[in-house]
Amino acid sequence: MNWDGVSEFVAVVEAGSFTAASRRLGISTAQVSRQVSALEERLGTRLLYRTTRRVSMTEAGQVYYRHCRPLLDGLTEAEQAVTELQQVPRGLLRMTAPVTYGENIVAPLVNDFLARYPDLEVDLVLTNRRLDLVAEGVDLAIRAGQLEDSTMVARRLASRAFHVCASPEYLAVHGEPRTLADLDRHQCLRGTLDIWRFQEQGQPRQVRVQGRLHCNSGWALVDAALKGLGIVQLPEYYVQAHLDTGRLVPLLTPYQVADDGIWGLYPRTRHLSAKVRMMLDHLERNL
């Protein structure tokens, strides 16, 4: 395809005159006029009405402009993408992540990334509140679990497993639950929800549990489980170390729910900046 005259034509349409287009492109008005005229001759149709006062598009010009504008945008994005391959992340990157997962998993990886790229500044907000990324100017959100419908772009970075477990001391006194129905006879250490998630015969299953302790801190629930106060269901980053040492015992493993996703969410834009793209790559490699 011959691109001669396309940029000049689009510039004239958007700037409103040949003179303004020439300033925008950094070339002479005469050159802009020659290029547009040559384009019209090549296409065999008039694209612009020219008068001493104004320039307007013909019907053919309107059709041609609608097709050319996205093409020029695509060329710009292609150049930016290639250029950014050679770039390093710089400027401010605003991120958010859940509190516990952010403190223990995400923040250390972000710190490693900062140590590697001294031109980057990160504002990391740890909160369990789902921030509006566009309204609050957040470039990247780390989310765990099932995602809500949104206009955001989601990239799966890792997964997390949920474990049901209790201490050997608790099990010695109360016995081990073998079925989901057995949970009715046990002290269940509840977090923000009274519902525990399971999988039974390939289908998701939710079980409402009860117990003496209800707390919105995962670490408090782990401590209670270690002290023999009941059974807990928590993500692996709370309990895996204790499962490895035997201080907690896995329960109901045939009913264990399928792993949840750990996601990177960012606003849908035409081109992803180097700082967001490289941070996503770094988190995916290391999570």
Side-chain angles (χ1 to χ4, degrees), residues 3-22:
W3 288 89
D4 291 345
V6 174
S7 297
E8 290 83 357
F9 164 70
V10 170
V12 171
V13 171
E14 294 179 348
S17 72
F18 284 82
T19 302
S22 70

Side-chain angles (χ1 to χ4, degrees), residues 77-222:
E77 292 172 20
E79 291 181 0
Q80 289 175 344
V82 172
T83 300
E84 286 197 354
L85 288 176
Q86 312 302 323
Q87 292 180 345
V88 296
R90 55 172 51 88
L92 175 63
L93 174 61
R94 299 201 68 227
M95 296 179 59
T96 181
V99 175
T100 300
Y101 190 75
E103 288 175 338
N104 291 274
I105 309 296
V106 176
L109 294 178
V110 170
N111 293 340
D112 292 341
F113 196 74
L114 277 173
R116 189 182 308 167
Y117 298 107
D119 293 332
L120 181 68
E121 178 184 353
V122 172
D123 180 4
L124 176 59
V125 178
L126 300 182
T127 176
N128 293 330
R129 184 169 63 90
R130 296 285 176 107
L131 301 182
D132 185 323
L133 305 192
V134 175
E136 304 195 41
V138 178
D139 300 302
L140 176 62
I142 308 302
R143 298 269 169 83
Q146 297 175 333
L147 298 178
E148 302 170 351
D149 290 337
S150 76
T151 59
M152 299 293 110
V153 179
R155 175 171 164 184
R156 190 182 181 108
L157 304 176
S159 61
R160 66 171 183 177
F162 272 81
H163 295 284
V164 177
C165 49
S167 69
E169 293 77 14
Y170 175 86
L171 297 176
V173 175
H174 301 279
E176 179 178 338
R178 301 292 182 180
T179 68
L180 300 184
D182 290 344
L183 288 174
D184 288 340
R185 299 185 290 101
H186 286 270
Q187 287 292 324
C188 295
L189 307 170
R190 297 168 295 152
T192 54
L193 299 176
D194 294 337
I195 299 293
W196 286 4
R197 294 167 51 215
F198 295 96
Q199 199 156 349
E200 187 173 24
Q201 297 180 346
Q203 298 298 317
R205 172 87 183 275
Q206 293 186 340
V207 176
R208 185 173 297 278
V209 296
Q210 56 187 0
R212 292 192 298 140
L213 178 62
H214 184 254
C215 181
N216 65 350
S217 166
W219 297 119
L221 297 177
V222 171

